[in-house]
Amino acid sequence: MDDPSRHLPPSLRLRTSRPTLPPGFVPRPRIDEQLQPRGRRHVTVVTAGPGYGKTLAVAAHLAGRGDRHTAAWLAVSDVAGLSTFWGDFLGALTAARIPGVESLSEMAPGNDFSLSDVDLIADALARHSRPLTIVLDEVQRITDPTVLESITRFIASQPDQVQLVVISRTTPRLHLRRLQLDGRLTEIGADALTMTRGEVGEFAERAGAGPMSDDDVVGFWLRTEGWPAGIRLALLSAGAAGLRAWLQRGHDELIASYLLEEVLEQIPPTDRKFLLATSVAEALDPALAEAITRRPDCRRILASLADANLFTVRLEDRPDWYAYHPLFRELLAERLTAENPDAPAELHRRAATWFARAGDPISAIRHLAAARDWEALLEVLGGSAVPLVLSPQSAELAAALAPAVDEAARRPTAETLLAGVIVAFHDRDFGVMFHRADAAEAALSRRAGGSSATAEIILALAAMVRARVEAVDH
């Protein structure tokens, strides 16, 4: 049987070929359910950042339909122009061998192709009696507003039996809200494409990861946050060493290279600089971002990063706050240190100042510990954090002070030893508490300026506890 697609240009033949599923692909029935057409003239939009498996999810769904449903596939090019896009569109229908629409092959768009010609294509498709799915992949490549307008026009005149599936890294500008009101729209985002804990375990098993404990699977799932590309790359990186060794490792070169090529190198320099600077924070709101970057347009930038699915998500439980994917944040922090080794400490200090003023001393202490600014940490500790050792936040405070304790074990100073006093008090390890207090007092006595008010408060706490312990012992 003659293959009509052989007359297409080689590049277009590639872009009209549906991807095949890789070995070990894990079916996800919940996504297949969402991809089912839900009525006449339905439009499904699949939107997520790179590596979320958007294309494979749709390809798997179509493969599951078998011959019961006809489908055409087009990975769009970034070449602008109505005639180019709609010529490719008709080429995809040709490659799919869709019976009953032969007349479309005679409509090769020329330079005079206009928006009204889109209606002719829709009319020709309306004469095709069987259900038809048309997939447009990589739609974020389309920047020509006239082409976007033409797709919106096609959707307006879309035949009843045609389902349109749009796959994009960013939300396409296709005026879709009206479709939502009409019940014609299904939106599938990164939250749906993220792998569940069970799917992560099944994928790892199919990939030959070997025996895994439940803790290994949970740790793997938490660190990757179910990001499919991250899971694949991590398994490749882990190799024979296994997942446990990978989890104990910090930076991962394979994942970092992917994120560099697919994300960081594709964004404008100003956004890149913003991402690097704000990677010092686990979560951000516009005010904190402005304190860190000294830029007034942080609200706009954060919203645009989230809208573009650049591994930036809005936090449901904290309105106006955002967070980066953990693996992406790891890369950003690594690049920040590599490109400007002195920058992280200053950026952490700025974040600490903001948190201290916002009434969150524990977060301020975390940032000052990251900056290794032990004197400033002690002042925040004495200013508002010491009473927290007697509150439900005591464990959180002790965890924030842990880096100071580690520093005291290597290079003890009065400040790190005094922070250690608070941690030992929380741990009820009074012998260690008294030892650290004595060492801190000795270090302070050697200073010309004497001790600070914060130091006196902590030493007084240690003395009071010592007196009570001695009283009980006697």
Side-chain angles (χ1 to χ4, degrees), residues 303-339:
S304 66
L305 290 171
D307 291 342
N309 291 309
L310 286 177
F311 294 92
T312 306
V313 297
R314 294 177 174 88
L315 301 182
E316 292 184 5
D317 57 340
R318 300 179 71 183
D320 219 22
W321 281 74
Y322 299 78
Y324 302 138
H325 188 287
L327 294 174
F328 187 44
R329 185 170 171 243
E330 283 179 22
L331 168 68
L332 294 173
E334 185 272 332
R335 295 310 308 161
L336 175 65
T337 301
E339 295 176 16

Side-chain angles (χ1 to χ4, degrees), residues 147-167:
V147 175
L148 291 168
E149 183 182 354
S150 71
I151 298 173
T152 298
R153 181 160 182 152
F154 176 81
I155 291 172
S157 56
Q158 184 176 328
D160 285 351
Q161 76 279 18
V162 172
Q163 177 197 19
L164 183 66
V165 179
V166 176
I167 307 174

